[in-house]
Each structure stands twice: as structure tokens, then as C-alpha cells.
Amino acid sequence: MKKTAIAHPNIAFIKYWGKKEDELRLPANGSISMNLDGLTTTTTVEFSEAYEKDSIMIDKENLFEEADRVIKHLDRIRALANITTKAKVISENSFPSGTGLSSSASGFAALSVAASYAAGLDISEKELSILARQGSGSACRSIPDGFVEWLDGATSEDSYATTIFPASHWDIVDIVAVVSQEKKEVSTSKGMGGADTSPFFETRQKHMTQKIADMKDAIKNKDFTVFGEITEAEALEMHAIMLTQKISLIYWSVGTLQLMKHVKKWRAGGLECYFTINTGQDIHILCQSKDSGALQGKLKEVPEVTRVLLSRAGMGARVIDTHLF
Ligand code: PMV
């Protein structure tokens, strides 16, 4: 059977950095995110006896590095569906992959949905989220709609994401300022392995529960100032862990740093915006809908910015009728 799904990457306001269990990807702490409706991964999967081996094509290339991880994920789904049939997978991103824009989140969310349905599974949102998490942790947050919480959980069955507010709850805007097309030097999975080697990791864990509660309140109350302050401080805290890991990770470029300073300056000048950054050089800037035009105008004046990608809160992963092959 052939099925196609689309999914959006998500931006974490409270981040996942560090695992309590590697193989199952159980996170050290819970996290909060929003799906990004302006960025999309589309994936078609077909299981057929006609295929002698799995074939994977991402963004029109046969990417052998990622293929192993995708085939492992297909194996999880084949085990659930009790089949051994090989699959053809074609996936396309509407945005640059491997530069910190979380293509693995939307990628594994779309793959989980398309492959599960193509394998004939009748599977709940919670089960899809648990499945997607095992492909790439943050992918579990791209399964449900809108504003999402990933419950860290003590076991695989307890570690999944749910909607805390629908996409329509709050009209905030995420603008990605692309400052590089270069792929990151250290992958997220590899980098995250060393999180607990930072002397600050334990301290971070101690206040995560409170921070998550405060963030949920800020989103519930649509308090953009509290939301923005927590979000920006959280991104800097995660990067403080990265910078102090053994071996240290510096994901920023000159352009990233310049934009961090610009955001603070624009904010001091009355344009309320806040940044957050993942494992890449590109920077997400959050603002209220009314300020989005002014912020885009400011970004046009920054020479390091090669492209801007605008999103509002988006839906979760879902099946569509148009196939890629
Ligand atoms: O799911 P992964 O392995 O791509 O890890 C995501 C890690 C961060 O993007 C840095 C933080 C997050 O919570 O999205």
C-alpha cells in the first residue's frame, strides 16, 4: 500500500537536550514547542513485494548516511505490522535540511504517519508520537497540532507529546533568519550525547519542572513578554550547556551572534521580539503578528541574512492524497 503524509518541524520554547535513555530516546526533561506551518516535509511510503530492498530518497538524493536511520524506523513499523515487505520512501523538504531547522522532526513525523498507514496499522496519535520519538526525539512533538508538550516519561509508553493549545489559540509568528546553508559539523544526536558532561547540566535539570509550568502559563495567558523572556533565556541556557560540554559545541556563526545582538537592540527600541536557536547557525525570531512586517523590514537590512522563513502555529502530521511517486 502507498500512503503520503505531511508534517511541520517544530520550534522548542523549552528545549530537549540530554537523554535519560539513549536507544529509546527518553529525554532528560519535558519540553514545549509549536509546529511551524510555513515549513513542510512531504513523505510518500510504499510497501511492495516488488521491492527487493528498501530505497530512500530525501530531497532528490540517495542519502546513505540518513538511510540507515530511516531503515531502522521502517523496521520498527514492520515489526508492529508483522510484515517483512520492503519499502520505497521519497521525502521532500520545503526548506534547507541539516542546518538546524529540525528537518529530522518533520521528517520522522511524516515518515511515521505515512509508513504506519502504508503498512496497514490502525494507530492512535499517542502511539504515533511514541513511534516518531524513537526515530528522532523532537519528531514526537510534530505529531499533535499546535502548541505541544512532550511529557518526558519514565518508560517508552509514557514519553509522548500532546496538544496543550490548538494552533488557533495564539497568533504569534516565528521568523527563521537563514544565515548559512552549510550543514552543521556535529549532528544533534551526537552532540546531545555529551550533555551531562557539562557541570551545569544538573542545575538545569533542577528547575525544568518549574520552567515548563511557567511557560505553559505564559502561553495560556498569551503573555508575550513573559513567554519571550523565558524562551530566550532557555535557548541561552541550552547553549551554555553545549558550550561547556566536554567536547564543547559551538553551533553559532558570526551571523547568528550578530542577529542575537540585533534582536536585543530592536527590542530595546520598542519592537518586541525574542530569539531562540537550535543546533545550527540559523536563528528563530519570535514576535506578535502585528510586528511581523516591521521585523521583516529590519531583517532585510542585515547583510548576513540570505533568506527569511515565516511561520505561525501549525497543524500536526497528517495523511494527504497527493503522492510524490
Ligand atoms: O530530536 P533531535 O535529536 O533533532 O533533537 C532536537 C534538539 C534541539 O533542537 C536542539 C532542541 C529541541 O527541543 O528541539
Side-chain angles (χ1 to χ4, degrees):
M1 223 191 320
K2 187 193 284 186
K3 291 282 175 192
T4 299
I6 62 171
H8 305 295
N10 60 79
I11 183 65
F13 306 134
I14 303 293
K15 310 281 192 189
Y16 151 55
W17 193 253
K19 283 176 268 195
K20 55 182 169 237
E21 209 281 333
D22 254 0
E23 187 58 28
L24 287 166
R25 295 181 202 269
L26 296 181
N29 54 266
S31 50
I32 309 267
S33 63
M34 174 181 104
N35 289 334
L36 299 172
D37 76 345
L39 312 177
T40 305
T41 299
T42 308
T43 303
T44 300
V45 179
E46 180 177 48
F47 288 99
S48 166
E49 299 299 340
Y51 301 135
E52 281 174 14
K53 57 184 179 60
D54 293 321
S55 67
I56 324 287
M57 191 175 277
I58 303 174
D59 288 337
K60 304 202 169 19
E61 281 178 70
N62 282 306
L63 296 181
F64 297 107
E65 247 175 69
E66 276 96 343
D68 274 358
R69 215 163 139 192
V70 172
I71 291 171
K72 216 171 154 190
H73 205 58
L74 291 171
D75 286 341
R76 287 185 189 108
I77 292 159
R78 280 189 277 252
L80 287 173
N82 206 11
I83 57 170
T84 52
T85 327
K86 300 294 180 198
K88 176 173 173 177
V89 178
I90 294 198
S91 185
E92 280 173 14
N93 294 303
S94 71
F95 57 96
S97 64
T99 66
L101 294 183
S102 309
S103 55
S104 67
S106 48
F108 277 97
L111 177 69
S112 299
V113 172
S116 298
Y117 286 104
L121 285 171
D122 180 14
I123 185 168
S124 68
E125 181 184 283
K126 177 177 164 182
E127 288 165 322
L128 277 170
S129 182
I130 290 169
L131 182 61
R133 189 203 73 229
Q134 294 169 67
S136 179
S138 58
C140 76
R141 295 189 310 236
S142 282
I143 298 287
D145 282 338
F147 295 86
V148 167
E149 177 175 15
W150 175 6
L151 305 158
D152 58 333
T155 64
S156 187
E157 286 67 40
D158 300 336
S159 186
Y160 59 95
T162 55
T163 298
I164 47 173
F165 298 101
S168 58
H169 169 70
W170 200 13
D171 196 14
I172 56 171
V173 176
D174 176 285
I175 301 181
V176 177
V178 177
V179 293
S180 167
Q181 301 281 355
E182 278 167 38
K183 302 257 175 190
K184 52 192 150 196
E185 280 166 28
V186 182
S187 74
T188 303
S189 306
K190 200 160 172 221
M192 196 184 297
D196 61 358
T197 62
S198 162
F200 307 125
F201 186 72
E202 249 182 78
T203 307
R204 169 170 168 75
Q205 290 310 315
K206 279 190 194 136
H207 63 233
M208 285 315 271
T209 307
Q210 186 59 47
K211 206 194 293 211
I212 288 170
D214 293 345
M215 173 55 80
K216 281 162 81 172
D217 274 351
I219 299 176
K220 181 176 165 210
N221 301 330
K222 301 181 200 171
D223 187 332
F224 189 67
T225 303
V226 173
F227 161 81
E229 282 172 359
I230 303 175
T231 298
E232 196 172 289
E234 163 63 359
L236 289 169
E237 185 176 293
M238 179 182 72
H239 282 270
I241 302 287
M242 293 166 170
L243 291 168
T244 51
Q245 287 181 205
K246 297 179 183 60
I247 303 153
S248 68
L249 297 168
I250 305 175
Y251 282 113
W252 305 332
S253 68
V254 175
T256 323
L257 262 167
Q258 263 166 354
L259 277 164
M260 287 155 86
K261 285 174 179 267
H262 278 309
V263 167
K264 280 172 171 269
K265 200 175 67 200
W266 295 334
R267 195 160 71 228
L271 176 60
E272 193 172 14
C273 56
Y274 300 88
F275 64 77
T276 184
I277 310 163
N278 286 339
T279 47
Q281 311 181 349
D282 301 335
I283 176 163
H284 292 251
I285 307 177
L286 294 145
C287 68
Q288 295 170 92
S289 199
K290 66 178 173 64
D291 294 326
S292 158
L295 183 57
Q296 287 175 75
K298 293 275 190 207
L299 286 167
K300 278 206 183 99
E301 290 162 19
V302 182
E304 284 77 16
V305 177
T306 54
R307 194 173 161 194
V308 296
L309 304 162
L310 191 140
S311 294
R312 291 189 161 76
M315 287 165 68
R318 56 210 182 267
V319 171
I320 57 166
D321 291 335
T322 328
H323 303 303
L324 292 177
F325 64 91

